Amino acid sequence: MKKFIQEKHQEAALDDLKTILAYPSYLQEDDETPFGKDIQAVLEKTLEISEKLGFKTYIDPEGYYGYAEMGEGEELFAVLCHLDVVPPGNLKLWDSKPFEPTIKDGFIIARGSQDDKGPTIAAMYALKAVMDGGETLNKRVRFIFGVDEENLWRCLNRYNELEEKATMGFAPDSTFPVTYAEKGLLQIKLHSKETSSYRLEAGDAMNVVPEDATYEGQWVDDLESELKKNDYSYERHEQSITVKGKSVHSKNSPQGINAIVRLANVLTTKDDNKALLFLRDYVKEDARGLNIFGEVEDEASGILTCNAATLSINPEETILGIDIRYPVTVEKSFIGDKLKAAAEKAGLIYEEYDFIAPLYVPLDTPLVENLMAVYQKKTGDMQPPIVSGGATFARTMENCVAFGAQLPHAEATLHGPNERMALEDLYQAMDIYAEALYRLTCQ
Ligand SMILES: [Zn+2]
């Protein structure tokens, strides 16, 4: 194997990384730009850095995305990155300022260091180093910079409407080794227009198994005795009662305990709200949704998961939010039809809220085989490729996978306080990306 990355690449990469980490590029309301002026600025700055490295660049006139390209040829190889970040959260939990990149104990600390500015710069400098090594590209390599990844993916959706799609590529926005399968994501809202004597709001987000669900109203004592009978955890307050569950990410919902379903199981002894009955009789305490979908599982990506994530009951309307992650070889229409049929039987109206198609690139394709071989040679780590219920930009194009840059020993600090990446890991990722890009786009 060649050694492409030299000290000068590491130093320059770190400098440029610090530059782009200094932009607080989280989503903000703005009249002139789609996602806020800081996002616009980091996009422009990254394209400026790209030009310095020898890329040709393009920015969407409206500011939804930009890209940087090198090489000649018919085929287009994509590196799918994002420059937006999540907000810093509680500043008191940070030991340094989230947008003043700090080097300490061998780490670079700043919001975006792990997700996704560090990996982005690592991949850009990897290609620069391969070019400095005198290699010639046999296809075009395009770094596509999205800026709405942490929210609604409007950047890449627009890119796909207007621009050329890649024939192959990877997203440096996950963990090593290769994520070759990501389950399909379908989020549904079930509605019913019925009158209710009370208000109830439970569940914070569609991608989380609800930790608690609180009822306030006339049946608190009755519910308490039902909860006892079922041996469910709860907290009793004067006017209300809170059913306790266990919160996990929706993609791992079989490992959680759904407080909304448990509340429905006891509240239906008093109330015949259609959504509550649906939860009790169809969803049940079963995060695989067996009663609605039957046994849904495939060899490539495992089981379907079904999470009743949010419930809103008010005097005029009830809305139940359901998050489903389904195996990669299953059709979306199969899942949608089953849920729709069950919902209609229960008297509920079905509305699609969000959908992201699954990702699946078979293990025996040159893309996955090459990336796995490079990773294994460079690290000696022989763990198998990954199947995930999460979502990366790799899903936005055919024949793309997620690849790094988080190494298995690294702590996942993305989205949390003191987000950081070890410099050693940054340089190792550069080294892996350089060899991968060399194999896939030069030879
Ligand atoms: Zn990310």
Side-chain angles (χ1 to χ4, degrees):
M1 262 187 295
K2 302 194 183 183
K3 179 94 184 110
F4 294 109
I5 304 294
Q6 293 162 19
E7 219 176 280
K8 64 174 183 189
H9 299 120
Q10 297 178 343
E11 281 165 13
L14 185 57
D15 271 352
D16 286 337
L17 176 56
K18 281 187 194 158
T19 302
I20 63 169
L21 284 172
Y23 292 82
S25 54
Y26 52 88
L27 179 65
Q28 271 167 334
E29 292 303 320
D30 188 323
D31 290 338
E32 273 111 66
T33 64
F35 312 115
K37 65 174 182 7
D38 292 315
I39 284 184
Q40 179 76 22
V42 79
L43 178 59
E44 286 171 8
K45 190 72 195 176
T46 305
L47 292 172
E48 193 186 307
I49 292 168
S50 307
E51 278 173 25
K52 179 186 79 183
L53 298 184
F55 289 91
K56 285 176 278 182
T57 65
Y58 175 79
I59 185 163
D60 168 50
E62 291 188 41
Y64 278 77
Y65 59 86
Y67 59 78
E69 190 177 305
M70 246 189 230
E72 306 287 335
E74 267 297 294
E75 269 188 77
L76 184 66
F77 187 99
V79 184
L80 300 160
C81 311
H82 69 92
L83 301 172
D84 60 317
V85 294
V86 295
N90 185 352
L91 292 177
K92 289 190 187 124
L93 299 176
W94 285 78
D95 300 327
S96 52
K97 295 205 168 121
F99 299 104
E100 284 179 18
T102 305
I103 309 275
K104 203 181 146 202
D105 303 329
F107 286 86
I108 179 152
I109 308 160
R111 169 62 80 236
S113 51
Q114 213 174 43
D115 179 21
D116 187 38
K117 291 170 178 172
T120 297
I121 286 286
M124 287 167 68
Y125 267 91
L127 188 61
K128 159 78 172 152
V130 172
M131 293 298 98
D132 288 350
E135 304 297 336
T136 309
L137 295 167
N138 62 19
K139 48 178 77 73
R140 288 170 295 136
V141 179
R142 183 180 286 185
F143 280 72
I144 301 172
F145 303 111
V147 284
D148 187 35
E149 198 275 344
E150 300 295 356
N151 290 282
L152 292 171
W153 292 24
R154 286 164 287 191
C155 49
L156 263 279
N157 290 345
R158 192 174 178 89
Y159 176 95
N160 276 328
E161 277 167 28
L162 299 175
E163 304 285 345
E164 181 182 352
K165 287 187 193 174
T167 42
M168 194 196 278
F170 65 81
D173 190 20
S174 186
T175 48
F176 283 121
V178 174
T179 301
Y180 71 104
E182 292 175 355
K183 290 180 193 176
L185 170 75
L186 185 58
Q187 293 177 333
I188 301 298
K189 298 256 165 128
L190 300 177
H191 299 252
S192 78
K193 294 252 179 258
E194 53 191 314
T195 51
S196 172
S197 59
Y198 59 94
R199 280 177 191 277
L200 190 157
E201 294 292 335
D204 298 323
M206 287 291 262
N207 60 0
V208 180
V209 172
E211 174 109 62
D212 38 47
T214 299
Y215 168 83
E216 186 176 349
Q218 56 178 315
W219 301 310
V220 169
D221 291 333
D222 304 286
L223 295 189
E224 182 166 19
S225 65
E226 285 297 322
L227 287 164
K228 271 193 192 136
K229 236 192 267 174
N230 283 286
D231 206 16
Y232 290 164
S233 305
Y234 65 91
E235 272 168 21
R236 172 71 202 248
H237 318 281
E238 210 156 296
Q239 308 282 339
S240 67
I241 195 154
T242 300
V243 181
K244 304 298 282 182
K246 183 178 159 218
S247 179
V248 293
H249 193 283
S250 280
K251 68 185 180 188
N252 302 321
S253 45
Q255 279 108 61
I257 296 172
N258 191 311
I260 287 177
V261 176
R262 289 196 160 184
L263 176 62
N265 285 348
V266 295
L267 194 47
T268 45
T269 59
K270 290 286 157 197
D271 187 8
D272 60 0
N273 176 292
K274 286 174 184 152
L276 293 174
L277 292 172
F278 181 76
L279 286 163
R280 186 192 70 188
D281 299 336
Y282 287 86
V283 177
K284 302 187 172 180
E285 270 204 273
D286 168 25
R288 297 187 58 184
L290 291 171
N291 195 49
I292 299 168
F293 305 102
E295 188 102 31
V296 183
E297 182 172 7
D298 70 13
E299 210 173 308
S301 61
I303 59 164
L304 172 146
T305 62
C306 174
N307 173 35
T310 59
L311 177 64
S312 164
I313 298 177
N314 65 55
E316 299 84 39
E317 194 184 20
T318 295
I319 307 170
L320 169 63
I322 297 193
D323 176 294
I324 298 155
R325 319 245 160 174
Y326 64 89
V328 295
T329 59
V330 175
E331 287 294 322
K332 175 198 176 196
S333 58
F334 172 84
I335 302 301
D337 290 351
K338 289 271 186 189
L339 183 57
K340 201 173 194 173
E344 279 170 5
K345 259 196 242 169
L348 297 167
I349 298 155
Y350 175 101
E351 181 209 356
E352 188 174 309
Y353 175 72
D354 199 5
F355 165 65
I356 307 179
L359 172 159
Y360 179 50
V361 181
L363 293 174
D364 59 358
T365 52
L367 176 67
V368 177
E369 282 182 345
N370 272 298
L371 294 178
M372 283 305 292
V374 169
Y375 173 77
Q376 289 174 345
K377 273 209 167 145
K378 289 281 184 190
T379 63
D381 173 16
M382 301 305 281
Q383 68 163 295
I386 301 166
V387 175
S388 162
T392 65
F393 276 166
R395 294 184 189 226
T396 60
M397 281 172 220
E398 299 276 309
N399 207 22
C400 289
V401 294
F403 185 53
Q406 196 186 308
L407 286 150
H409 62 252
E411 187 189 343
T413 54
L414 66 167
H415 296 204
N418 299 319
E419 179 176 346
R420 60 198 174 274
M421 188 172 191
L423 296 179
E424 211 172 286
D425 291 359
L426 179 73
Y427 302 146
Q428 185 165 23
M430 279 169 73
D431 196 35
I432 295 168
Y433 287 143
E435 180 70 23
L437 287 166
Y438 168 65
R439 284 201 192 190
L440 290 165
T441 66
C442 295
Q443 283 185 315

